[in-house]
Amino acid sequence: MYEKNGEKYYICDAHIALWDARPENQRNIHGKQFIDCFYDYHKNLSPEEVVWDYDTYTYYGEQRLLKDLFEDGYVDHAIFQPAILSDFYKRGFGQTEDALALTRANPGKLTYNHAWDPRHEEAGLEQLRKDADRMGLKGVKLYTAEWNGDSRGWKLDSLWSRRYLEECLKLGIKNIHVHKGPTIRPLDRDAFDVADIDQVATDYTELNFIVEHVGLPRLEDFCWIATQEPNVYGGLAVAMPFIHSRPKYFAQIIGELLYWIGEDRILFSSDYALWTPKWLVEKFVDFEIPADLPEYAPLTIAQKKKILGLNAASLYGLDVPAELRLSMPEPAVAS
């Protein structure tokens, strides 16, 4: 919970990870390229005082994660969104079993989302059924640009992807997070294109599609799709830190999102450990639309509360303390 000027904010960090990118876990040069690109994002978009050293960044462990989120970072609940990247890392980039164990050891504070890859076809479907049962999955995080042998990506609207989405419906996995937009070396930018969200959002209206990174740099494409598909949401991971280094650009991003999709379909994410949540929460609560961007309406406290946590809590059925919910208007009294 974060409090400022008497207002209390429920904080749900909707995109975090526990990764291991140390040299001993790198399968090849691409494992180093990937974490180096992450570190460049971290170093270039963070305030100087919160920049980590490189070795810590490659592996920070469970206890540092808990401290950064729940002791220092005001976070009430956080959701793991793993990237597996088996072609680049021997034991995978996201630490599945460690993150799952941490979730079980901290009930009510963490949710574990897993991943699937339709290129594993029938064997992967069977694994998804086992994972859903063992992990109690409510959501998944998908990486459409992930490499798999000779393949350098896949589409959400492909035949096998549709079979996995249909299986998600059967298994009660409703929240489909998809990395769309910013590329990461050595992945291909066009494999993160937002266009394939359009068809599946239309065809699977019982699923929620959370487009992580709001499609940047294809924000306009994302907005045109999301405004006509009410089950498409925008995750602010990677967009958030521009609040420090490029505040006017961030104002344009959040202004466009509020104009097109509204205050109920935007989710706060630090993308930990790309960034830590503390400074992002503080800066967002203080943030105002610059006066020289009059086409965007001022951000309200209620909008900030929804974005920082209440919207994600609604998607995941989280129990928000009564004092952190939005106050309801007084009912009309009959005369």
Side-chain angles (χ1 to χ4, degrees), residues 146-203:
E146 183 164 355
W147 290 9
N148 184 351
D150 293 335
S151 169
R152 290 171 65 144
W154 53 278
K155 296 289 187 184
L156 280 165
D157 53 0
S158 66
L159 174 64
W160 273 101
S161 174
R162 286 174 174 275
R163 289 192 60 182
Y164 278 68
L165 293 172
E166 286 157 11
E167 195 66 30
C168 284
L169 275 172
K170 295 175 187 173
L171 296 169
I173 302 171
K174 291 196 63 174
N175 296 317
I176 313 297
H177 296 251
V178 192
H179 180 120
K180 287 295 186 185
T183 193
I184 305 158
R185 192 183 184 202
L187 304 176
D188 298 342
R189 190 193 75 146
D190 287 351
F192 283 133
D193 193 296
V194 298
D196 54 349
I197 291 287
D198 194 12
Q199 280 196 19
V200 294
T202 298
D203 294 345

Side-chain angles (χ1 to χ4, degrees), residues 123-138:
L125 272 178
E126 182 57 29
Q127 187 63 50
L128 175 60
R129 296 181 191 107
K130 293 176 182 175
D131 291 341
D133 181 58
R134 184 170 74 93
M135 299 173 175
L137 297 178
K138 294 182 180 176

Side-chain angles (χ1 to χ4, degrees), residues 315-332:
L315 282 183
Y316 279 85
L318 304 177
D319 185 18
V320 178
E323 64 173 348
L324 302 181
R325 299 172 193 165
L326 290 181
S327 56
M328 300 295 290
E330 293 290 333

Side-chain angles (χ1 to χ4, degrees), residues 224-283:
W224 279 99
I225 292 169
T227 195
Q228 64 178 331
E229 306 289 351
N231 55 336
V232 173
Y233 295 73
L236 288 175
V238 176
M240 285 297 304
F242 286 110
I243 202 170
H244 164 67
S245 59
R246 298 280 306 280
K248 200 165 183 177
Y249 179 51
F250 178 76
Q252 292 169 329
I253 293 170
I254 199 73
E256 291 295 324
L257 291 173
L258 287 168
Y259 176 82
W260 288 100
I261 69 173
E263 64 198 44
D264 295 322
R265 290 196 278 147
I266 306 171
L267 276 60
F268 164 72
S269 304
S270 71
D271 215 343
Y272 185 87
L274 271 160
W275 296 279
T276 46
K278 182 176 187 293
W279 66 273
L280 291 171
V281 170
E282 292 172 347
K283 283 184 177 288

